[in-house]
Amino acid sequence: MQTSSANSASLDSLLEEADSWQVNTGGETIHAKRMRGRWRTLKWITSTIYLSFFLGPYLRWGDRQAVVFDIPNRQFHLFDITILPQDLWMLSLVLLFLAILLLALTVIVGRAWCGFLCFQTVWTDVYTWIEERFEGPPPQRRKLDKAPLSPRKIRIKAAKHGLWLVIAVLTGISFAAWFTDAYGLWAGFLTLQLPAAAWVTILLFTAGTYILAGFMREQVCMWLCPYARIQGAMVDVTTIIPTYDFHRGEPRSRKKRGAADGGAGDCVDCNQCVAVCPTGVDIRQGQQEGCIMCALCIDACDAVMDKLGRPRGLIRYESLDGLQGKARPPLFRQPRVLVTGLILLAALGGIFYGLNTIDAIELKVLHARQPLYVLQSDGSIQNRYTLKILNKLADDVKVRISATGPEGLAITSGTTLAVRHGTVTPVTLFVRVPRRNLSVESQPIVFHIETLGREPAFSSDRESIFIGPKQ
Amino acid sequence: MADKNPFPGENNTGHIWDDNIRELKNDPPRWWMIGFWASIIWTLAYAVLYPTVPVGDEPNKGILGWTAIKEYKEGLAEVEAVRARYETQIQGMTAKQILADPGLTAYTVASAKVLFGDNCGACHGSGGQGGPGFPVIVDDDWLYGGTIEKIEESITKGRKGMMPAHAKRLSPQELDTLANYVVNLSQGKDDPAGAALFKAKVCFACHGANAKGVQAMGSANLTDSIWRFEPGGVESARRTIAHGVNDAGDAETRQAVMPSFADRLSANDIKKLAVYVYKFGGGVQ
């Protein structure tokens, strides 16, 4: 336990440095102060999600990589599921799900993505943490930036940039590893024998990581990222976001309560909320585009309030309605939560349905257009079809083709064939029907394929048309 | 515009609107200037390396010697390189051997599509569906035979059948009787009077005793559902009998000539086309 005199001494030192913390105007590098706290801890925990980004590619599933997005072969492997281009409609549902999830999250708790989960935030956080280890707290960093070039400065800066680059290269390799064999990638990387596409990918992501997390940092959030621009349309008066309680805080006074007049608020204008802000905004000016809602200002303010012996929560997660003393409607009574929730459920349902009904073999039928039908010498009518058989199984398989349609139809070309796995096998098929059985110009015909010689057997149907002469 | 500059010491042009909107003389950002000069250097380098503004009367070819046609030919060479593997295989094979290999058949059909469009489609239709006066080649009825060898022979040597005009040798009633007879034949109906006349006028000499045609001379099979000259029926048949096919002595005769492609296409291309036509579905084993 700290004594009250120690508290007030440390508060004095905070007030002394208060004016050195300035709001970000874009002119200089933001060196944010690091402080412990609940939200700080939460941010570290949420950041660990990116460990899966680094470690995921090394997971094995049977004799291959568990997750690999094989672009050259147009196959996505997710554990025991293989997704071919024909199933990519599910990807659009996944994207829809993620986009709406982002919207739903923002509707309820603001830019939690930006503050706790965004790779820009997380990588910048790690980079500035490294910076602090090498260069010290913000005042020393500012001093070092201004200092003339010296062996000490070069040593410190080189070490920092070196470590940054190592992380950047690891990021680049980890990204590339999701698209190819991870171990082979490392082998190729270490022996300098990677294909050009891999080098370019690694280089781009290395450069991107190094520049975006090392130099641009909050400028990405403030001037590059479109999400900051559209969040205004997502957040409303019921959204709980880090908010400065101005009813309680204003008017600000740097005097301690005992010495202040009765009208002063709880804010002592120590600028600690600005000091810790990674984007350098002043939360007390209200909601603004620069705020990524990382809640670090809440930690900073709570620490000061603790020192002052005042209740925490001068800056807290609160909605604008809440600030006015209005009760927030429960989540299920908010139309936007309901609508986004429904869309999320629908997208999830679609993905679930898709994954459960991925056909092992799939049949597509194209009816020849030129000519639509051919009169044969025995008076029957022949139609030509191109059947495209997609085999998603792991092995080549034999299939038998059959058709049902106009009476007396006969398939005059071969009806069993081998189809290669992981690709589409096209086959031309001729079907004949006696002319007397064609009462109308166009009739439905259903093609059916089934696998032979394997258990369980798979089958697929596809309807097409049989065309005869005009009646 | 203000007469007196209310922002002294500020690096502005003196152009001020609405009291406080003013034009500053700040330098462009460094990155912008780098981009600006880099693009000028790029342009100069480009002008030296690639064809640009002519110098005097001479076109400026640029020191890299790049031309669009060269790039096109390189692209073409890449395609040829991919095809070479199949083409060299096909060179030494007969059309029948190609048909025995599904992979090579698929390649041949795919690569002969353009050949067919360029050389055959004008008469036989892009899908082989024929046209007015030109035979359908997707059905199973062949005047000269539908085996792969016969198809190849038809393309190589061309075909020109001959049926003499009968307008001067037969009476109008006889023409009507024969025209009705061949229509009845194609529908499988009995016609004793027509059959007798068919025999009496020696039609069987070319069309065969059973009227099924003789492929060696390209005479039509009169018993099947397919008409060499559409739309078929009594009127059409009567005209063919009366005026013949390729009969130089009759002005209204049917014109039916398949030109020889021996001089226009290589033997290899003809082989590929034969396979292509065979795979339309009418090919005979």
Side-chain angles (χ1 to χ4, degrees):
Chain A
M1 281 296 283
Q2 286 175 305
T3 63
S4 69
S5 65
N7 266 343
S8 73
S10 67
L11 184 66
D12 285 341
S13 71
L14 286 182
L15 286 175
E16 264 167 41
E17 67 171 52
D19 290 326
S20 70
W21 301 110
Q22 273 159 19
V23 171
N24 186 4
T25 52
E28 52 188 302
T29 311
I30 299 295
H31 288 297
K33 188 169 170 177
R34 282 179 173 268
M35 271 185 156
R36 289 170 198 279
R38 285 184 294 163
W39 299 105
R40 176 68 261 180
T41 309
L42 180 62
K43 189 166 171 172
W44 280 126
I45 293 169
T46 53
S47 299
T48 55
I49 205 167
Y50 284 99
L51 287 178
S52 60
F53 167 78
F54 286 102
L55 302 177
Y58 308 104
L59 283 180
R60 307 299 289 182
W61 189 265
D63 55 349
R64 61 167 172 77
Q65 196 162 320
V67 180
V68 56
F69 303 105
D70 187 349
I71 308 264
N73 293 318
R74 282 133 181 101
Q75 292 182 353
F76 288 0
H77 299 288
L78 300 169
F79 300 97
D80 64 341
I81 300 169
T82 295
I83 295 178
L84 294 179
Q86 287 79 0
D87 304 314
L88 271 192
W89 59 272
M90 275 188 279
L91 178 68
S92 55
L93 283 185
V94 171
L95 293 178
L96 175 72
F97 178 81
L98 292 177
I100 298 297
L101 184 65
L102 193 62
L103 171 62
L105 193 67
T106 311
V107 163
I108 298 168
V109 290
R111 290 166 66 182
W113 163 259
C114 296
F116 295 94
L117 289 163
C118 177
F119 35 83
Q120 176 64 24
T121 302
V122 171
W123 261 252
T124 302
D125 200 30
V126 171
Y127 268 47
T128 51
W129 181 82
I130 290 169
E131 190 169 66
E132 182 146 313
R133 295 279 87 73
F134 284 105
E135 301 184 3
Q140 286 181 35
R141 264 139 70 187
R142 282 197 217 105
K143 219 170 103 187
L144 187 71
D145 284 348
K146 289 201 188 90
L149 218 54
S150 67
R152 179 182 165 270
K153 180 171 177 177
I154 291 172
R155 202 173 58 240
I156 291 174
K157 291 276 179 191
K160 178 187 80 175
H161 285 282
L163 196 51
W164 280 4
L165 276 171
V166 168
I167 292 176
V169 171
L170 280 178
T171 306
I173 293 177
S174 299
F175 180 81
W178 290 92
F179 297 90
T180 182
D181 174 49
Y183 296 98
L185 182 78
W186 270 107
F189 179 77
L190 296 174
T191 55
L192 303 178
Q193 280 172 337
L194 284 180
W199 284 122
V200 170
T201 307
I202 293 175
L203 189 74
L204 280 179
F205 274 79
T206 301
T209 306
Y210 182 60
I211 293 169
L212 294 182
F215 300 92
M216 293 189 67
R217 297 184 185 174
E218 85 289 346
Q219 304 192 19
V220 173
C221 312
M222 297 178 90
W223 291 298
L224 275 185
C225 181
Y227 184 49
R229 305 288 148 148
I230 53 175
Q231 57 137 346
M234 302 183 186
V235 171
D236 69 2
V237 290
T238 61
T239 307
I240 53 166
I241 50 179
T243 310
Y244 168 63
D245 187 348
F246 56 90
H247 295 303
R248 194 185 133 192
E250 302 291 319
R252 300 168 201 173
S253 163
R254 288 200 179 168
K255 290 172 193 156
K256 272 163 241 160
R257 174 153 282 181
D261 57 86
D266 276 349
C267 178
V268 291
D269 202 16
C270 63
N271 274 351
Q272 287 299 300
C273 50
V274 180
V276 297
C277 181
T279 63
V281 300
D282 186 348
I283 189 71
R284 294 169 300 173
Q285 289 168 357
Q287 189 36 233
Q288 53 205 293
E289 66 177 9
C291 176
I292 57 169
M293 300 187 190
C294 61
L296 294 183
C297 50
I298 298 181
D299 282 344
C301 193
D302 282 350
V304 173
M305 288 300 120
D306 286 353
K307 287 191 174 94
L308 288 168
R310 295 178 194 173
R312 290 180 166 196
L314 179 57
I315 302 174
R316 62 177 185 272
Y317 260 108
E318 183 63 278
S319 67
L320 287 177
D321 266 357
L323 218 50
Q324 307 293 345
K326 283 189 228 164
R328 259 173 0 99
L331 284 183
F332 63 86
R333 295 284 295 278
Q334 297 179 24
R336 299 201 303 166
V337 175
L338 290 177
V339 171
T340 50
L342 276 178
I343 299 174
L344 285 178
L345 276 180
L348 213 53
I351 297 164
F352 187 75
Y353 168 82
L355 289 179
N356 275 289
T357 56
I358 283 184
D359 282 332
I361 54 171
E362 252 180 50
L363 177 64
K364 297 240 158 51
V365 177
L366 301 173
H367 184 277
R369 293 185 178 80
Q370 194 75 297
L372 288 169
Y373 66 88
V374 177
L375 173 68
Q376 296 298 117
S377 51
D378 64 359
S380 63
I381 300 298
Q382 177 171 289
N383 276 206
R384 181 159 65 115
Y385 301 87
T386 303
L387 269 60
K388 302 206 163 192
I389 304 170
L390 169 67
N391 177 5
K392 299 190 203 170
L393 296 163
D395 325 291
D396 295 355
V397 70
K398 247 189 145 92
V399 299
R400 180 167 51 219
I401 306 165
S402 55
T404 49
E407 210 190 320
L409 78 77
I411 298 175
T412 59
S413 48
T415 53
T416 59
L417 75 154
V419 290
R420 281 169 297 141
H421 69 279
T423 186
V424 173
T425 303
V427 56
T428 304
L429 203 71
F430 296 100
V431 177
R432 278 189 203 180
V433 174
R435 188 166 180 172
R436 62 178 180 280
N437 293 345
L438 296 171
S439 51
V440 290
E441 193 184 347
S442 169
Q443 294 191 40
I445 178 170
V446 178
F447 289 92
H448 174 82
I449 54 169
E450 58 186 29
T451 58
L452 296 175
R454 64 168 289 141
E455 287 293 328
F458 296 101
S459 65
S460 178
D461 291 323
R462 177 67 61 162
E463 188 177 318
S464 184
I465 49 169
F466 190 94
I467 293 186
K470 280 200 168 64
Q471 300 295 319
Chain B
M1 201 180 287
D3 292 332
K4 252 182 73 184
N5 192 339
F7 300 96
E10 187 185 64
N11 192 17
N12 68 36
T13 57
H15 300 164
I16 294 162
W17 299 267
D18 292 346
D19 296 334
N20 60 0
I21 298 173
R22 60 238 188 243
E23 187 179 10
L24 300 182
K25 292 196 282 189
N26 290 342
D27 288 335
R30 174 72 58 81
W31 64 264
W32 191 93
M33 288 306 291
I34 291 171
F36 177 74
W37 286 110
S39 52
I40 288 177
I41 293 166
W42 171 272
T43 308
L44 291 176
Y46 189 89
V48 174
L49 295 174
Y50 287 94
T52 39
V53 187
V55 183
D57 293 337
E58 286 294 303
N60 174 7
K61 289 181 176 163
I63 61 174
L64 286 187
W66 178 92
T67 65
I69 194 76
K70 214 195 272 178
E71 189 171 286
Y72 160 72
K73 281 176 179 164
E74 280 166 12
L76 207 59
E78 276 175 38
V79 177
E80 294 294 344
V82 174
R83 296 169 59 143
R85 187 158 67 89
Y86 301 100
E87 288 293 339
T88 47
Q89 257 182 293
I90 288 175
Q91 283 290 346
M93 296 170 79
T94 65
K96 196 161 200 158
Q97 286 169 327
I98 295 173
L99 281 173
D101 182 330
L104 284 179
T105 303
Y107 166 79
T108 307
V109 169
S111 65
K113 188 177 172 138
V114 174
L115 275 178
F116 187 86
D118 286 353
N119 296 288
C120 318
C123 296
H124 291 293
S126 62
Q129 72 272 31
F134 300 104
V136 179
I137 52 174
V138 287
D139 61 29
D140 59 351
D141 183 34
W142 300 88
L143 289 172
Y144 295 91
T147 62
I148 184 70
E149 292 88 359
K150 286 290 173 189
I151 293 172
E152 200 173 350
E153 185 185 309
S154 295
I155 303 170
T156 310
K157 297 184 179 165
R159 300 290 187 185
K160 187 174 181 181
M162 169 29 181
M163 168 161 172
H166 291 79
K168 292 176 187 140
R169 300 177 212 180
L170 300 173
S171 68
Q173 287 89 344
E174 286 172 327
L175 285 175
D176 288 342
T177 306
L178 283 174
N180 276 305
Y181 174 62
V182 293
V183 171
N184 285 336
L185 266 181
S186 73
Q187 292 169 351
K189 290 180 195 160
D190 274 349
D191 186 351
L197 196 60
F198 183 81
K199 213 172 217 173
K201 296 298 174 185
V202 209
C203 302
F204 59 82
C206 293
H207 289 286
N210 53 10
K212 284 181 181 300
V214 178
Q215 290 187 342
M217 62 175 82
S219 57
N221 180 349
L222 303 174
T223 63
D224 65 18
S225 303
I226 294 168
W227 296 95
R228 165 65 183 84
F229 296 101
E230 291 286 349
V234 177
E235 269 308 300
S236 179
R238 192 181 191 281
R239 189 197 148 185
T240 310
I241 299 167
H243 301 290
V245 180
N246 292 330
D247 186 338
D250 190 312
E252 285 179 67
T253 194
R254 302 269 196 190
Q255 300 289 336
V257 181
M258 162 84 187
S260 159
F261 279 83
D263 301 333
R264 304 191 214 183
L265 295 173
S266 68
N268 201 46
D269 282 350
I270 289 175
K271 190 161 68 190
K272 286 164 80 171
L273 276 175
V275 171
Y276 187 80
V277 171
Y278 185 92
K279 293 305 279 185
F280 269 143
V284 177
Q285 289 283 322

